[in-house]
Amino acid sequence: MNDLDHLVQAAADEFSAAATPADLENAKARYLGKAGRLTELLKGMAALSPDEKKTRGAEINAAKQLVESALNARRHALAEAELELQLRAEALDVTLPGRHRGIGGLHPVSRTMERIEAIFGSMGFDVADGPEIETDWMSFTALNNPENHPARSMQDTFYVDMKDAEGRWLNLRPHTSPMQVRYARAHAARYAGRDPMPEIRVIAPGRTYRVDSDATHSPMFHQCEGLWIGENVSFKDLKAVFTDFCRTFFETDDLQLRFRPSYFPFTEPSAEIDIAFASGPLKGRWLEVAGSGQVHPDVVRNFGLDPERYIGFAFGMGPDRLTMLRYGVADLRLFFDGDLRFLSQFK
Ligand code: PHE
């Protein structure tokens, strides 16, 4: 063996001995680095004659190639070993039993909303969605509830300290009734040329807000507005539709409805709708589930329609209340606490 063979052998031995990529890079530096042994040999050639340079240079380069291939082989082997280790560490025992994952379910109020939509949908009602941040005009003025009128305080409204682009004050809608106006105006505009205009038949479910909190009131609650306007829609249709709805919703005909005279600025006459079950734990107790009435002529005018020609009814019901009644829950706040022990019972 000549000196170069020794050097190649020594390099190969050191590379094999390197246990980590960092060790290997250090070993590499000792041979191929700036002050490495092969590099020094190449520098030493400066003193040789041209002929000697030629043969010696070729020998050194051949040795250098051998060192480099030994280095690459070891690099590859170390990488393989590392991958092997990692694979072993991450090995899965596919025969182990799986971990249980809870399956989500619909919130009981969402279930009620879906039922309401399905039932009114089957009666030909459209379902509309609208903004929860409303203008003063939509929430009150358009609904015949002028500024400074005491009826505005029927609803303890959350006002937003901000105006819209047209300078109207904003509020968190205290009821879904503004959707009567939004939907009817859009409908009237869309069918402007049609005579007679196709009837408006819509429900608008959604979140509503009032400064109110006890066992049967939550600052955020739900309402579902209903509106039916045409040339021949009367209070008797309201009674029929709402009675049908309640019987289908509660899956019983053993149920009575009572239309109790009331006041809302946007309906005339107005009525609260109470229901009473003929059997079950709530037997015989009258429970208020909705406000309703024949839409006031001024409101029909704000819809963009002629109140001499178009008439109808509106109602606003409380899906949270309906959920309490359907499942026998006594405290509304339970629905919004987010306690899975309570909520998972409705899955
Ligand atoms: N918006 C009324 C309320 O929140 C309910 C209602 C709706 C009454 C439609 C009549 C007609 O109390």
Side-chain angles (χ1 to χ4, degrees), residues 160-235:
V160 179
D161 197 7
M162 201 189 284
K163 293 181 178 175
D164 75 353
E166 279 131 74
R168 297 184 293 203
W169 284 106
L170 298 173
N171 54 57
L172 297 184
R173 65 178 180 185
H175 52 181
T176 42
S177 299
M179 281 306 292
Q180 288 183 35
V181 186
R182 285 185 180 275
Y183 189 91
R185 286 170 74 90
H187 185 96
R190 179 153 157 223
Y191 295 108
R194 288 267 287 273
D195 195 7
M197 172 193 79
E199 287 189 345
I200 295 172
R201 218 180 291 161
V202 66
I203 59 165
R207 275 185 281 271
T208 44
Y209 305 84
R210 288 185 204 176
V211 187
D212 219 350
S213 184
D214 60 39
T216 51
H217 296 89
S218 146
M220 187 287 301
F221 61 108
H222 296 87
Q223 279 199 346
C224 180
E225 198 75 10
L227 180 67
W228 186 350
I229 299 284
E231 287 181 303
N232 266 311
V233 185
S234 76
F235 220 94

Side-chain angles (χ1 to χ4, degrees), residues 5 20 115 119 202 219 324:
D5 294 336
T20 65
R115 271 175 88 71
I119 296 168
V202 66
M324 291 171 79

Side-chain angles (χ1 to χ4, degrees), residues 15-233:
F15 294 164
S16 305
T20 65
D23 287 349
L24 184 60
E25 293 313 305
N26 285 335
K28 172 198 160 185
R30 287 196 286 278
Y31 291 88
L32 300 167
K34 265 197 197 136
R37 289 174 65 184
L38 271 165
T39 321
E40 291 300 328
L41 285 181
L42 285 167
K43 283 188 205 157
M45 286 186 6
L48 301 180
S49 72
D51 271 357
E52 285 171 323
K53 268 186 190 161
K54 218 174 168 187
T55 43
R56 185 64 175 161
E59 285 165 11
I60 296 177
N61 271 331
K64 192 177 171 195
Q65 273 176 19
L66 288 173
V67 170
E68 277 170 351
S69 69
L71 174 70
N72 284 333
R74 185 62 184 156
R75 269 188 186 148
H76 191 69
L78 283 178
E80 290 266 283
E82 196 176 357
L83 180 64
E84 185 60 31
L85 266 181
Q86 193 183 345
L87 286 176
R88 211 169 306 152
E90 291 172 3
L92 285 182
D93 182 349
V94 294
T95 66
L96 284 176
R99 287 199 194 106
H100 179 75
R101 280 224 211 160
I103 303 170
L106 279 184
H107 191 280
V109 174
S110 303
R111 283 181 182 278
T112 297
M113 290 296 207
E114 289 197 346
R115 271 175 88 71
I116 294 173
E117 289 173 22
I119 296 168
F120 278 101
S122 78
M123 295 193 262
F125 280 72
D126 192 8
V127 179
D129 195 17
E132 289 169 29
I133 299 178
E134 261 300 1
T135 61
D136 208 58
W137 192 81
M138 284 286 180
S139 286
F140 299 112
T141 317
L143 291 164
N144 201 28
N145 205 330
E147 248 168 272
N148 306 320
H149 191 283
R152 281 205 181 193
S153 61
M154 281 169 81
Q155 294 149 349
D156 292 309
T157 310
F158 285 110
Y159 283 91
V160 179
D161 197 7
M162 201 189 284
K163 293 181 178 175
D164 75 353
E166 279 131 74
R168 297 184 293 203
W169 284 106
L170 298 173
N171 54 57
L172 297 184
R173 65 178 180 185
H175 52 181
T176 42
S177 299
M179 281 306 292
Q180 288 183 35
V181 186
R182 285 185 180 275
Y183 189 91
R185 286 170 74 90
H187 185 96
R190 179 153 157 223
Y191 295 108
R194 288 267 287 273
D195 195 7
M197 172 193 79
E199 287 189 345
I200 295 172
R201 218 180 291 161
V202 66
I203 59 165
R207 275 185 281 271
T208 44
Y209 305 84
R210 288 185 204 176
V211 187
D212 219 350
S213 184
D214 60 39
T216 51
H217 296 89
S218 146
M220 187 287 301
F221 61 108
H222 296 87
Q223 279 199 346
C224 180
E225 198 75 10
L227 180 67
W228 186 350
I229 299 284
E231 287 181 303
N232 266 311
V233 185

Side-chain angles (χ1 to χ4, degrees), residues 207-267:
R207 275 185 281 271
T208 44
Y209 305 84
R210 288 185 204 176
V211 187
D212 219 350
S213 184
D214 60 39
T216 51
H217 296 89
S218 146
M220 187 287 301
F221 61 108
H222 296 87
Q223 279 199 346
C224 180
E225 198 75 10
L227 180 67
W228 186 350
I229 299 284
E231 287 181 303
N232 266 311
V233 185
S234 76
F235 220 94
K236 109 179 166 272
D237 297 306
L238 166 64
K239 282 184 136 177
V241 161
F242 213 84
T243 305
D244 250 15
F245 164 73
C246 289
R247 294 195 170 146
T248 314
F249 184 86
F250 289 107
E251 298 172 88
T252 175
D253 285 348
D254 260 358
L255 174 147
Q256 275 183 287
L257 271 81
R258 178 169 80 180
F259 287 75
R260 182 164 39 88
S262 184
Y263 170 78
F264 298 101
F266 33 93
T267 47

